[in-house]
């Protein structure tokens, strides 16, 4: 007999809770989904475990209803978008990330050099296939706040949002909204589109993280699982493979 994934997850989690005298299971309503739960883990295939990792910590019952839906693939995509849009960093989270990135909360003066150095090695033939926007015109701390807002709310298409190729030939000119032929590289983050698409069309697919925030890349990946975060010193190899 075929059992839907959501039902299987719920039944697995219920194994950890006792029955009442009336025969009902006493499982809390707001229990979170966790792959650390041995009852859940032992009932999942390796493929299911890999696919469900992004839902760690989310409401179990909500996830189970979505997984059992007839149109589960479409709903899963919408649910992943919901997780991203509704789950940005709080102000308290941001303060924690600043301390993690800069141990004494004092920002060094020699940060955000790696994108300058390494992206110079990215060929225009490859870089021109990716639309980009560098967060560089505000302070280093405000750049993280700006990234958080853009990944949480998306790009506001009603306001000017200047983009440029990730890399391009030097004679492209400045009519693309940057001082040179490519997106700004002197900030903490560079937003990058899907290959051969515009940022305002496809949304933010990749984010190049400059050296100021290398220490929080794992935090960014966990909070925004639909976005690919890549270190600036690894970006050339990453985009070349794409």
């Amino acid at each position: 007999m075929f059992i839907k994934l959501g039902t299987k997850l719920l039944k697995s989690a219920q194994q950890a809770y006792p029955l009442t005298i009336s025969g009902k299971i006493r499982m809390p309503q707001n229990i979170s989904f966790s792959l650390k739960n041995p009852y859940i883990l032992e009932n999942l295939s390796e493929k299911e475990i890999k696919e469900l990792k992004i839902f760690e910590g989310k409401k179990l019952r909500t996830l189970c209803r979505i997984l059992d839906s007839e149109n589960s693939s479409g709903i899963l995509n919408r649910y992943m978008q919901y997780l991203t849009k509704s789950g940005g960093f709080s102000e308290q989270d941001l303060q924690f990330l600043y301390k993690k990135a800069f141990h004494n909360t004092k920002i060094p003066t020699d940060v955000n050099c790696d994108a300058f150095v390494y992206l110079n090695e990215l060929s225009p033939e490859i870089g021109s296939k990716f639309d980009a926007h560098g967060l560089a015109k505000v302070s280093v701390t405000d750049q993280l706040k700006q990234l958080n807002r853009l990944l949480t709310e998306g790009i506001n298409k009603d306001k000017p949002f200047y983009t440029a190729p990730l890399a391009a030939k030097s004679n492209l000119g400045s009519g693309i909204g940057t001082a040179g032929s490519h997106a700004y590289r002197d900030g903490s983050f560079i937003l990058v589109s899907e290959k051969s698409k515009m940022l305002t069309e496809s949304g933010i697919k990749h984010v190049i993280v400059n050296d100021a925030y290398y220490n929080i890349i794992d935090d960014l990946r966990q909070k925004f699982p639909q976005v690919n975060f890549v270190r600036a010193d690894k970006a050339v190899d990453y985009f070349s493979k794409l």
Side-chain angles (χ1 to χ4, degrees):
M1 180 179 176
F2 174 75
I3 301 178
K4 292 184 176 180
L5 180 55
T7 300
K8 182 167 69 171
L9 280 181
L10 190 60
K11 287 183 177 295
S12 299
Q14 288 173 341
Q15 294 177 37
Y17 297 90
L19 293 174
T20 63
I21 297 175
S22 61
K24 293 184 178 180
I25 297 171
R26 302 180 64 176
M27 188 173 80
Q29 286 294 319
N30 292 325
I31 184 175
S32 298
F33 167 71
S34 176
L35 288 171
K36 295 177 183 178
N37 184 324
Y39 296 99
I40 290 178
L41 200 58
E42 68 183 8
N43 285 295
L44 295 177
S45 67
E46 289 186 12
K47 181 175 181 293
E48 289 169 338
I49 291 171
K50 184 177 180 180
E51 291 176 344
L52 290 171
K53 279 183 178 179
I54 61 170
F55 298 109
E56 182 76 24
K58 305 306 175 185
K59 290 184 178 180
L60 176 67
R61 294 181 190 274
T62 302
L63 177 59
C64 291
R65 286 196 297 270
I66 290 168
L67 292 172
D68 279 356
S69 167
E70 292 181 4
N71 184 26
S72 61
S73 60
I75 291 178
L76 274 175
N77 287 333
R78 290 200 295 274
Y79 186 58
M80 288 172 68
Q81 292 173 2
Y82 161 77
L83 292 178
T84 300
K85 290 184 178 180
S86 65
F89 292 113
S90 67
E91 183 60 34
Q92 186 176 0
D93 293 334
L94 291 172
Q95 295 304 318
F96 169 79
L97 293 176
Y98 295 141
K99 291 179 181 178
K100 188 173 182 179
F102 316 109
H103 300 300
N104 298 316
T105 68
K106 184 177 180 181
I107 303 171
T109 56
D110 58 344
V111 295
N112 291 337
C113 301
D114 279 7
F116 265 126
V117 174
Y118 291 96
L119 286 178
N120 281 332
E121 300 174 13
L122 184 64
S123 72
E125 288 74 21
I126 294 172
S128 62
K129 292 180 170 63
F130 297 93
D131 190 38
H133 176 90
L135 302 182
K137 291 188 175 182
V138 292
S139 68
V140 171
T141 52
D142 282 342
Q143 286 161 11
L144 180 58
K145 290 182 179 179
Q146 197 173 64
L147 176 72
N148 185 51
R149 178 178 58 78
L150 285 166
L151 294 181
T152 304
E153 301 174 6
I155 297 169
N156 187 345
K157 297 181 180 180
D158 296 327
K159 294 183 178 180
F161 190 82
Y162 298 109
T163 64
L166 185 56
K169 295 180 180 179
S170 58
N171 61 357
L172 183 61
S174 59
I176 53 179
T178 69
S181 57
H182 51 70
Y184 289 116
R185 298 174 177 176
D186 56 338
S188 302
F189 308 100
I190 303 174
L191 316 179
V192 187
S193 69
E194 280 188 55
K195 182 180 176 182
S196 303
K197 292 186 178 181
M198 301 297 290
L199 270 170
T200 51
E201 170 193 355
S202 67
I204 302 164
K205 182 69 173 178
H206 318 275
V207 173
I208 297 174
V209 181
N210 217 349
D211 53 89
Y213 286 110
Y214 280 171
N215 288 342
I216 66 162
I217 288 180
D218 286 342
D219 300 272
L220 292 168
R221 287 170 177 160
Q222 184 174 1
K223 181 62 69 174
F224 302 105
Q226 283 188 294
V227 179
N228 301 312
F229 294 92
V230 56
R231 290 169 56 112
D233 58 357
K234 308 292 184 183
V236 173
D237 185 55
Y238 176 83
F239 286 99
S240 297
K241 288 179 179 178
L242 289 182

